[in-house]
Amino acid sequence: MVLIRNSIYLDALSKFGVGGAHPGGISLTKKIFKTEEINETSYILDVGCGTGQTAAYLASRYGAKVTAMDINPIMIEKAKNRMTKYQLPVEIIQGSIENFPLADGRFNFIISESVLSFVNKPRALKEIFRLLKNGGRFIANELTMNKQLETTNEEEIKQFYGLDSVLMEKDWVNLFEHTGFKHIKTRVQEHSNFQNNPIPEFTYSAHIDPQLYGIITQHFHLMIKYQGVLDYRVFSCTK
């Protein structure tokens, strides 16, 4: 199994059990899916599901057949606890989207929310394309640079978050096109990465290393430092 690069930031998210850590949070997720044709016959994969907030919403709101996956065992445990608490029949699988052991063409929809930035993007997109049915929809809410940074600044971001690259909008679109996706649309949000972002949900672990509190603080400092440069886009495309 291919692992996500070491990221103390992701470790912090898992220990704090941050739900809706992606830009826009669960409220943006709900808006995105209002424009999609989802019902109880839809098969949906939530890539990098975290604590399962989005997966639970899709299952409860639409009655869809939802599979949620994440590589982090702490997140998987919290996602399973969520589904048990609300008695939702969501399948939870621990694994990597770079090599995911499910059959071709299984899903009508696949969503990733701040996930692709942390993995091998071409490999992950190849798997997502394989897992989608013909005509299936892929939706991604991903970290995006508004302009190219100096190398030292870009390295600061990559080192902190554990990323191999930080892409601009055109780079994302090129990746989707190269994978084979069609009808690629980009949604640019009215607000920047952290303007009017809803307060996330927390599901704390019993034991949290004190240094992880500093990691969250450092995250917000970086967002302020690179405000207007670090942003996000919502991409939608079809197989």
Side-chain angles (χ1 to χ4, degrees):
M1 179 181 295
V2 182
L3 298 177
I4 293 174
R5 292 181 62 183
N6 181 46
S7 173
I8 195 168
Y9 170 71
L10 291 180
D11 188 30
L13 290 186
S14 68
K15 293 295 177 60
F16 287 109
V18 181
H22 59 279
I26 189 66
S27 60
L28 177 56
T29 301
K30 292 177 180 180
K31 289 178 183 178
I32 291 168
F33 277 103
K34 278 184 179 179
T35 63
E36 300 291 335
E37 298 180 5
I38 302 174
N39 55 45
E40 65 278 357
T41 68
S42 302
Y43 285 81
I44 305 176
L45 175 64
D46 182 5
V47 174
C49 66
T51 65
Q53 188 181 57
T54 292
Y57 168 74
L58 292 171
S60 61
R61 170 66 178 82
Y62 297 100
K65 299 170 177 63
V66 182
T67 300
M69 59 81 61
D70 204 289
I71 200 167
N72 187 297
I74 297 172
M75 289 297 202
I76 287 292
E77 180 185 2
K78 292 177 179 180
K80 287 181 176 179
N81 289 341
R82 182 191 296 272
M83 304 314 162
T84 299
K85 179 180 179 180
Y86 295 104
Q87 298 183 331
L88 294 170
V90 175
E91 182 181 20
I92 308 289
I93 301 175
Q94 183 178 354
S96 169
I97 191 55
E98 295 179 27
N99 184 19
F100 202 48
L102 290 180
D104 295 1
R106 178 165 174 175
F107 299 100
N108 303 100
F109 296 90
I110 297 180
I111 183 169
S112 73
E113 297 174 305
S114 294
V115 175
L116 295 181
S117 294
F118 294 94
V119 299
N120 181 303
K121 299 170 188 62
R123 191 176 297 163
L125 285 169
K126 183 179 179 180
E127 278 292 88
I128 288 167
F129 193 84
R130 179 185 68 79
L131 290 164
L132 273 175
K133 297 177 183 291
N134 289 330
R137 299 275 291 153
F138 174 50
I139 300 161
N141 177 346
E142 295 294 343
L143 180 69
T144 308
M145 286 197 303
N146 285 332
K147 64 180 180 181
Q148 198 66 50
L149 287 169
E150 296 289 337
T151 301
T152 52
N153 297 122
E154 188 171 339
E155 282 301 317
E156 179 182 30
I157 295 166
K158 287 161 58 177
Q159 288 297 321
F160 177 76
Y161 291 106
L163 311 176
D164 61 1
S165 61
V166 188
L167 303 185
M168 297 180 68
E169 179 183 319
K170 62 181 177 63
D171 302 318
W172 282 114
V173 172
N174 286 340
L175 272 175
F176 299 140
E177 288 178 343
H178 184 74
T179 304
F181 285 107
K182 301 176 181 177
H183 310 300
I184 302 164
K185 294 183 179 179
T186 303
R187 179 186 298 187
V188 180
Q189 302 308 305
E190 295 179 4
H191 304 289
S192 65
N193 220 350
F194 291 91
Q195 287 180 309
N196 295 344
N197 218 27
I199 297 173
E201 165 196 274
F202 293 91
T203 309
Y204 297 98
S205 295
H207 302 287
I208 299 176
D209 190 325
Q211 74 165 324
L212 295 182
Y213 290 92
I215 294 300
I216 298 299
T217 300
Q218 190 177 348
H219 160 66
F220 285 111
H221 284 165
L222 284 176
M223 291 302 102
I224 293 169
K225 180 177 180 178
Y226 295 109
Q227 188 171 6
V229 178
L230 275 186
D231 208 340
Y232 68 103
R233 298 287 189 275
V234 176
F235 302 97
S236 60
C237 46
T238 305
K239 177 175 178 179

